[in-house]
Amino acid sequence: MKTLRVLAALWLAVAPASSQVIGTPVHTGPSASAPRVPLALSFAATPQSLTDLGARMRVSLTSALDAVAATPVPQRTFSTTVKAMERAYAEYYEAVRPAVFLASVSPDPAVRAAAEALDKAADDMMVELGQREDLYRAAQDAADKGETLDGPDRRLLEKTLRGFKHSGLGLSPEGRARMAAIDRRLGELSQTFGRNLRDADLWLTVAEKHLKGLPPATVAGLPRTEDGKVRLRLDAPTYGLVMERAASRGLRRAAYYKHGNAAAAANAPVLQEALALRHESATMLGYRNYAEMALAGRMAKTPKRVWAFLKRLRSSLAAPRDAERKELRDYAAANGAGKLRPWDTGWWEAKLKRERLGYDPEAAREFFPMDQVLRRTFGIYEELLGVRFAEVPSDGAWHPEARLIELRDAATGERLGRFYLDLFPREGKYGHMAAFTLVSGRELPDGSYREPVSALVGNFTRPTGGRPSLLRPGEVKTLFHELGHIMHQLLTTSRNWSQSGSATARDFVEAPSQMMENFVWRVETLTALSGHYADPARTLPPDMASRIVADKFFSPASDALGQAVLAAFDLAVHSSGHADALATYEKVVKAFLGKAPAKGVNFPARFGHIMGGYAAGYYGYLWSRVFAQDVFSAFERAGVISPETGRRWRSAVLERGSERDEEESLRDFLGRDPSEKAFLRWLEKRSSPILGA
Ligand SMILES: [Zn+2]
């Protein structure tokens, strides 16, 4: 570790640009000259072909793993066990992942259903294989030999053993049976929790006169009762609309309690049972609590570090948050409001924002035609990362609207990877915007390198009435963000499949994309990306550009502290097996915000994150943001659009995946330990120049 760090520091001092460092002693990836080998992809699937593929790949994966398990003990080495298993999984997923992807994008409902079934079958098989004692023994025998491994391989070995350990393979037969029962029960509880929320009664019946402030088109579309009252279902967008727009305090108050307690009675015991079971399984595996177990493979490593981080945030953000709150209270008081209750805050905030920073998103989007934004976004990435984008025919894709882009290294012209763009909504298509890894980069047995392939899936407005597809500023930001993930996936040079691209620790994976968002929230970038669809020479008016940026920085300290509360609550309930969730929540809110939350609402019973994949992981949103801002500060010091800094970012972090500790990569890039300073400065960056103007 120490030697590595010294070398890394040396490298920083001598290496001028990324492409030259590939192959130097500190870089353990394949050499730059390793040819990238594309995989022929076919998306012309039928339900039957998907079922057949699943069966075929299951057989070949199982037989490859059987061969590993059959390796005689004397021949068990890292390469014949851990590495051989990883290769088997890589080959399996190279065939299965592009097929499973069809569940999100295929225009054929039968294909989507078959792809979903394949996905489920693959997941089930992975759980099953993770329980195989013979494979665990093989890996453990290899580990016991104490071979000298380099960094990436050592990490792969540790991760493999930890995976087996977490599925209970180090336990007695009774322990393992108990563990399996806990896992099954936790799966059921998670489903029940989600179902209770989905099925909860969210209906309010109100007289139409109470709906003042809501958009007339929305009100007109609402169902009525026989006596002419309006029925309102408080799903997420409607609830948001009511809390921000409804002039009636009574309606907002009713909505607050109805929504806040939607599934409280049913979900409170479900959550409590899940917390106890998680604690039990963690202690069975030798951890003190679930939080400790969950963090073992993450960048943060221990709950103690996260607690210290959250406490620092609390003390740094207290004053700026109070200032934000005071401004809001003063504004409300000046407009005749009394004491602000929880159902008042959102309404006054939205009003203040509209009044002082308001811009019309519909007018703004006329300056962001999709194709132009894409081209110019590519241009910024090209300059920063030393790459070139080129669109090529997308024959054989799953839909005529899918486009294919090649990514090349600007210096060598070598093709590094490819990615698809599928950007318009369709019936049955994935409804958000996301970057999918279809094929991960990895070193092949003959020393060549598997060329990675990704897909960027989105849902922008289609061209209509003579206007091209036009993006709202928030969509421009999301495009920038997701393209950040695509670059992380395609620029990889990691040798090992499971460490390549964006396969990094969960509390780090968002950092590269969050970092890129900073480029968008600048007047200069927004202007550079803009050009009116009817007259491209007309760029975004400066006043509108400033307002878009200011809107983003409206109440950053309050927002971050709100996230810190949830992160602290999540960590606190996962630090003991018997803490009452609601009481813990009230305690945390009091500690972070100075006063207890409003009585009569059970927030934990509707906090889906901790029953989904984010248990003891909610802090990750803030944690990765710290690194995003720290890294961006290096770009700022170098003049923001700095190709030299971008090249270093590419080689120190993007190319490295998780083949070394993410913190090590950051240190390599920054030339020092990561720091929270830039993050805290960013949270204090208020939109005051416009406020009050
Ligand atoms: Zn993301």
Side-chain angles (χ1 to χ4, degrees):
M1 182 78 149
K2 191 146 185 235
T3 325
L4 193 65
R5 204 182 304 170
V6 171
L7 279 171
L10 260 181
W11 165 76
L12 264 182
V14 298
S18 75
S19 51
Q20 295 169 19
V21 311
I22 296 174
T24 61
V26 289
H27 195 107
T28 47
S31 77
S33 57
R36 295 207 163 201
V37 184
L39 192 69
L41 291 180
S42 162
F43 298 99
T46 62
Q48 189 57 48
S49 76
L50 290 172
T51 312
D52 294 346
L53 174 77
R56 199 167 61 241
M57 292 315 296
R58 183 188 177 95
V59 169
S60 70
L61 173 58
T62 310
S63 69
L65 295 176
D66 288 346
V68 171
T71 309
V73 175
Q75 273 117 63
R76 290 182 174 179
T77 62
F78 171 79
S79 158
T80 61
T81 62
V82 174
K83 184 68 191 175
M85 282 190 248
E86 204 212 32
R87 189 173 303 134
Y89 283 118
E91 283 164 6
Y92 175 83
Y93 277 111
E94 275 178 6
V96 168
R97 232 189 239 153
V100 163
F101 172 63
L102 290 172
S104 302
V105 294
S106 171
D108 181 344
V111 168
R112 288 200 303 273
E116 215 170 282
L118 175 59
D119 192 17
K120 172 83 172 46
D123 281 354
D124 290 349
M125 178 166 55
M126 292 308 141
V127 173
E128 211 178 279
L129 293 173
Q131 309 270 359
R132 271 183 65 168
E133 168 109 45
D134 54 353
L135 294 174
Y136 169 56
R137 279 263 48 97
Q140 190 59 59
D141 284 344
D144 289 345
K145 293 203 170 129
E147 280 170 88
T148 309
L149 300 172
D150 68 1
D153 287 350
R154 201 171 52 241
R155 279 171 67 81
L156 179 58
L157 173 66
E158 284 163 8
K159 193 177 164 194
T160 305
L161 292 175
R162 194 168 53 235
F164 281 124
K165 183 183 165 193
H166 282 190
S167 43
L169 281 171
L171 300 175
S172 66
E174 302 78 54
R176 228 179 293 164
R178 174 66 189 147
M179 197 71 160
I182 289 178
D183 277 349
R184 271 196 307 277
R185 181 67 185 146
L186 280 171
E188 285 166 17
L189 290 171
S190 163
Q191 280 176 345
T192 307
F193 193 92
R195 189 179 337 108
N196 287 343
L197 283 176
R198 282 195 304 277
D199 295 351
D201 167 26
L202 288 172
W203 288 98
L204 281 181
T205 304
V206 291
E208 180 154 353
K209 62 174 187 204
H210 294 306
L211 299 177
K212 236 182 83 197
L214 298 186
T218 307
V219 175
L222 295 171
R224 319 271 147 160
T225 60
E226 276 170 15
D227 55 353
K229 286 194 168 159
V230 179
R231 305 247 302 141
L232 198 61
R233 187 175 186 275
L234 298 169
D235 49 37
T238 309
Y239 179 68
L241 205 59
V242 168
M243 298 313 274
E244 288 189 358
R245 293 292 183 115
S248 157
R249 277 191 94 192
L251 173 61
R252 293 201 308 265
R253 184 176 184 282
Y256 177 78
Y257 283 107
K258 185 86 184 171
H259 181 262
N261 283 321
N267 270 349
V270 172
L271 173 60
Q272 218 56 57
E273 185 184 348
L275 293 173
L277 290 176
R278 284 179 188 150
H279 185 74
E280 184 185 342
S281 67
T283 49
M284 281 170 69
L285 295 173
Y287 295 97
R288 270 181 304 185
N289 53 55
Y290 182 81
E292 202 175 71
M293 174 173 118
L295 266 63
R298 303 226 187 107
M299 193 178 171
K301 307 216 175 34
T302 64
K304 202 172 149 208
R305 269 188 93 191
V306 180
W307 275 122
F309 166 61
L310 293 174
K311 284 178 183 160
R312 281 196 302 278
L313 269 189
R314 180 180 64 184
S315 56
S316 309
L317 292 177
R321 174 193 182 261
D322 288 349
E324 288 170 11
R325 294 288 102 174
K326 183 173 182 311
E327 192 154 11
L328 184 68
R329 277 198 312 273
D330 290 351
Y331 170 75
N335 285 277
K339 186 172 155 48
L340 295 190
R341 305 287 295 151
W343 46 90
D344 296 324
T345 322
W347 191 78
W348 284 104
E349 218 170 64
K351 190 169 154 67
L352 173 64
K353 216 164 156 174
R354 270 200 309 279
E355 202 170 284
R356 298 203 177 157
L357 309 175
Y359 69 93
D360 177 2
E362 287 310 304
R365 77 196 297 162
E366 294 185 359
F367 291 90
F368 297 111
M370 187 189 85
D371 272 317
Q372 172 188 291
V373 171
L374 258 181
R375 248 192 342 269
R376 295 185 182 176
T377 299
F378 287 168
I380 293 175
Y381 270 91
E382 287 181 342
E383 198 171 345
L384 283 174
L385 300 177
V387 292
R388 291 287 170 264
F389 295 81
E391 181 156 2
V392 294
S394 62
D395 306 338
W398 54 92
H399 191 275
E401 279 176 354
R403 299 156 67 178
L404 182 59
I405 311 289
E406 283 188 348
L407 183 75
R408 289 180 186 274
D409 183 84
T412 66
E414 183 206 3
R415 193 169 86 184
L416 300 170
R418 291 167 293 160
F419 65 100
Y420 290 91
L421 290 173
D422 183 358
L423 297 175
F424 296 124
R426 283 193 303 273
E427 175 95 37
K429 190 180 127 173
Y430 176 77
H432 307 277
M433 189 159 197
F436 291 77
T437 292
L438 302 185
V439 177
S440 298
R442 67 176 172 115
E443 192 179 61
L444 297 169
D446 66 0
S448 61
Y449 198 76
R450 171 64 74 221
E451 184 192 84
V453 184
S454 291
L456 210 174
V457 176
N459 288 276
F460 294 140
T461 317
R462 286 179 178 280
T464 39
R467 303 201 322 176
S469 172
L470 299 170
L471 310 189
R472 289 192 308 270
E475 291 173 319
V476 174
K477 182 267 295 179
T478 307
L479 180 67
F480 240 81
H481 176 105
E482 297 303 333
L483 198 60
H485 287 308
I486 299 271
M487 291 301 104
H488 202 183
Q489 290 157 5
L490 300 189
L491 290 173
T492 192
T493 62
S494 290
R495 175 205 306 152
N496 294 325
W497 172 78
S498 62
Q499 297 168 337
S500 101
S502 53
T504 61
R506 207 192 304 161
D507 51 0
F508 177 75
V509 67
E510 289 300 325
S513 293
Q514 290 173 328
M515 196 281 284
M516 290 308 298
E517 291 176 15
N518 288 287
F519 287 91
V520 178
W521 300 126
R522 298 169 63 245
V523 169
E524 297 86 337
T525 314
L526 285 172
T527 309
L529 292 172
S530 73
H532 196 275
Y533 76 92
D535 173 12
R538 240 178 83 207
T539 54
L540 194 66
D543 176 62
M544 196 187 279
S546 318
R547 281 166 182 270
I548 293 172
V549 174
D551 182 73
K552 165 74 193 149
F553 295 101
F554 184 70
S555 52
S558 308
D559 297 348
L561 209 56
Q563 292 225 307
V565 167
L566 300 185
F569 163 67
D570 171 34
L571 211 56
V573 285
H574 285 110
S575 298
S576 113
H578 32 261
D580 175 74
L582 183 56
T584 306
Y585 177 68
E586 288 172 349
K587 216 158 47 188
V588 168
V589 171
K590 195 147 194 299
F592 273 74
L593 303 181
K595 61 175 191 183
K599 284 278 173 222
V601 166
N602 188 338
F603 170 76
R606 56 167 303 103
F607 188 29
H609 281 87
I610 60 169
M611 286 301 288
Y614 282 83
Y618 197 87
Y619 74 92
Y621 288 114
L622 289 166
W623 185 264
S624 55
R625 189 57 90 172
V626 169
F627 305 114
Q629 297 317 115
D630 200 11
V631 167
F632 185 67
S633 73
F635 280 92
E636 280 181 314
R637 270 194 306 280
V640 185
I641 305 285
S642 159
E644 190 274 334
T645 313
R647 259 18 96 77
R648 281 198 299 112
W649 171 242
R650 172 178 162 185
S651 73
V653 179
L654 297 182
E655 290 180 356
R656 308 301 294 266
S658 56
E659 68 181 19
R660 60 178 174 180
D661 194 300
E662 289 82 355
E663 209 161 333
E664 188 80 32
S665 293
L666 284 171
R667 232 178 262 127
D668 186 352
F669 170 77
L670 294 164
R672 57 166 169 78
D673 285 335
S675 140
E676 285 160 17
K677 277 191 206 139
F679 175 65
L680 294 172
R681 259 203 323 274
W682 178 68
L683 291 176
E684 285 165 20
K685 177 174 168 181
R686 303 226 26 225
S687 33
S688 38
I690 293 191
L691 269 175

